[in-house]
Amino acid sequence: MQTSLTSEIASTPEGRAADGILRKCVHCGFCNATCPTYQLLGDERDGPRGRIYLIKQLLEGESVNQSSRIHLDRCLTCRACETTCPSGVEYGNLLEVGRLFFDQRVPRKRSEKLTREWLAGIILRPRLFSFLLAVGRLVRPVLPSALKNKVPEHPAEPLGGDRIRWPKPVHSRKMVVLGGCVQTILSPGTNAAAATVLDRSGISLVEASAAGCCGSLDLHTTDERKARQRARSLIDAWWPWLERGVEGFIVTASGCAVTIKEYDHLFRGDPQYHEKARFISAKTLDLSEVVEQEMNSSNRVKAIGATGAARTTVAFHSPCTLQHGQQIKGRVEAILERAGYRICEVEDAHLCCGSAGAYSLLQPGLSRQLQTRKIAALQKNDPDIVCTANIGCQIHLNSVSSGPVRHWIELLV
């Protein structure tokens, strides 16, 4: 694609990055075939190719307006288009730049800004979120159905029950696991289950209490400045652990994992943090990568029970941040099969469930359509268990599922 960015934009690091990405695009349209919003709406501007043209127009100084922004806001950032693209277009990075310059050229309405700040302000403060969640459960019977589904009736009970206890860090091999934001409240057993499983393989998991949020939600609400602030705090909290000799960092939520793995890009213009960010990214692994390594090297990671697992069918929802963002596809399914579970085939497994960070709150209509499609596909073959690898997808699907949706690591306890 030929480009002619304005001199003002072309001189910035973001502009140069966008120019390189735009030039890779060959207009083929393969991306539209796997884009969830294009499939729902059938509008060229609601597919990757159309959004690329909108961003190109903006960067070349052509007229854009609030209606142009709507099509960018409708994007889930699922990055299925990146998996499909034969030219290697880094659409996610381009969208990030496009949204940045859109905010400068066409500022959001004050009501929109306040909504996004309000969401981040609640979700990223665990104590406040926990309090409001408790209040929400009390008044849940009188809430509108759309809001009622967002409030889990009870805290998630781990599949392993009483068997999930965080082991003491007695092993010489240690890794740091991200505590996360809402996961500590909505699914507190997930990290404990990971610690229990890896303890059997001689790895002790520890949390860095000051790490806080990875910054992913701020990126979802198009606030890159705040995302970098939170990422700096995480880097500062994790860095001393490297000096203590930990093997690396584990993330049990695939949405957080992809964000941390891309800190190199997030800090591309920060001379103070770029090298540290790059090193932290290189040392960060999704939980599935670590479990697979340990299975291959020691075969000591076991399932709940061989006989129980052999009679259990599992439908796995592979989050977009796992299969498209991190490009990890089929790994969790293979782990569960080795543990003795039978894996159900899921139709259109490449499509997003509609959670996508804050998307389900900012674009509820489109999100519900995708949610309905996904849960139908997951439950089509009547599995015993539905599981996933990301807390956002887990809670989103759990609100409409006929049974509890689990994090896959619980099946190995």
Side-chain angles (χ1 to χ4, degrees), residues 18-313:
D19 192 51
I21 297 170
L22 285 169
R23 289 176 180 273
K24 288 182 179 180
C25 180
V26 295
H27 321 257
C28 67
F30 287 177
C31 53
N32 282 347
T34 55
C35 175
T37 52
Y38 181 78
Q39 289 191 15
L40 289 179
L41 301 171
D43 189 324
E44 176 74 14
R45 295 166 298 180
D46 287 310
R49 183 171 60 181
R51 292 183 179 119
I52 286 172
Y53 273 106
L54 288 174
I55 294 169
K56 181 176 181 289
Q57 289 174 352
L58 166 74
L59 301 182
E60 291 183 338
E62 295 186 32
S63 176
V64 291
N65 52 36
Q66 292 287 356
S67 64
S68 303
R69 184 207 297 283
I70 289 172
H71 301 291
L72 298 192
D73 283 348
R74 284 177 181 164
C75 178
L76 293 140
T77 326
C78 69
R79 294 163 67 170
C81 54
E82 291 189 17
T83 300
T84 310
C85 179
S87 304
V89 174
E90 297 168 330
Y91 172 81
N93 290 340
L94 179 64
L95 183 68
E96 196 175 289
V97 173
R99 285 172 168 169
L100 172 68
F101 283 111
F102 252 97
D103 283 349
Q104 294 177 7
R105 179 81 68 81
V106 189
R108 289 188 182 277
K109 297 176 182 177
R110 182 166 177 76
S111 59
E112 290 183 18
K113 287 183 179 180
L114 289 174
T115 298
R116 290 164 181 262
E117 291 173 3
W118 175 77
L119 285 173
I122 291 175
I123 295 173
L124 300 181
R125 289 179 172 84
R127 288 183 181 178
L128 176 60
F129 182 77
S130 182
F131 169 75
L132 293 175
L133 183 62
V135 173
R137 285 180 175 136
L138 287 175
V139 300
R140 191 174 185 274
V142 298
L143 291 175
S145 58
L147 186 55
K148 183 185 294 187
N149 288 339
K150 296 293 182 185
V151 180
E153 194 168 0
H154 305 287
E157 288 293 331
L159 190 61
D162 293 339
R163 284 174 292 176
I164 297 183
R165 292 286 185 273
W166 199 295
K168 294 182 179 179
V170 297
H171 302 294
S172 59
R173 297 179 65 194
K174 288 183 172 60
M175 299 188 77
V176 174
V177 63
L178 179 69
C181 304
V182 297
Q183 181 171 279
T184 59
I185 298 163
L186 295 175
S187 186
T190 297
N191 279 0
T196 300
V197 170
L198 292 177
D199 179 68
R200 300 189 199 126
S201 197
I203 298 175
S204 289
L205 284 193
V206 294
E207 286 186 0
S209 58
C213 175
C214 66
S216 61
L217 186 65
D218 292 307
L219 292 175
H220 277 290
T221 54
T222 64
D223 195 335
E224 192 172 297
R225 181 186 61 82
K226 284 188 178 177
R228 278 194 290 269
Q229 287 178 350
R230 298 190 202 280
R232 288 189 193 101
S233 296
L234 184 145
I235 291 169
D236 289 341
W238 277 6
W239 196 259
W241 287 95
L242 287 172
E243 297 168 347
R244 296 174 200 169
V246 297
E247 291 185 14
F249 307 98
I250 291 179
V251 186
T252 55
S254 62
C256 301
V258 71
T259 296
I260 297 171
K261 286 184 175 185
E262 295 182 348
Y263 273 2
D264 183 24
H265 171 74
L266 184 63
F267 287 96
R268 58 196 177 277
D270 188 327
Q272 183 181 356
Y273 271 84
H274 184 250
E275 280 305 307
K276 279 188 174 183
R278 185 183 60 80
F279 196 76
I280 289 289
S281 294
K283 283 285 188 178
T284 297
L285 295 170
D286 185 84
L287 177 62
S288 62
E289 296 176 288
V290 180
V291 172
E292 182 187 57
Q293 288 174 8
E294 293 305 305
M295 274 188 157
N296 290 339
S297 63
S298 67
N299 203 31
R300 286 185 287 175
V301 177
K302 298 179 181 178
I304 292 172
T307 54
R311 292 195 299 268
T312 304
T313 58

Side-chain angles (χ1 to χ4, degrees), residues 333-378:
E333 297 93 321
I335 289 170
L336 295 178
E337 282 185 332
R338 287 177 65 176
Y341 291 96
R342 290 183 294 159
I343 307 300
C344 297
E345 183 177 350
V346 178
E347 289 182 357
D348 294 326
H350 64 284
L351 291 180
C352 183
C353 70
S355 173
Y359 191 91
S360 63
L361 299 171
L362 296 172
Q363 301 285 339
L366 291 172
S367 176
R368 279 195 297 272
Q369 292 182 65
L370 294 169
Q371 180 190 50
T372 300
R373 287 187 178 190
K374 180 58 67 175
I375 201 65
L378 288 165

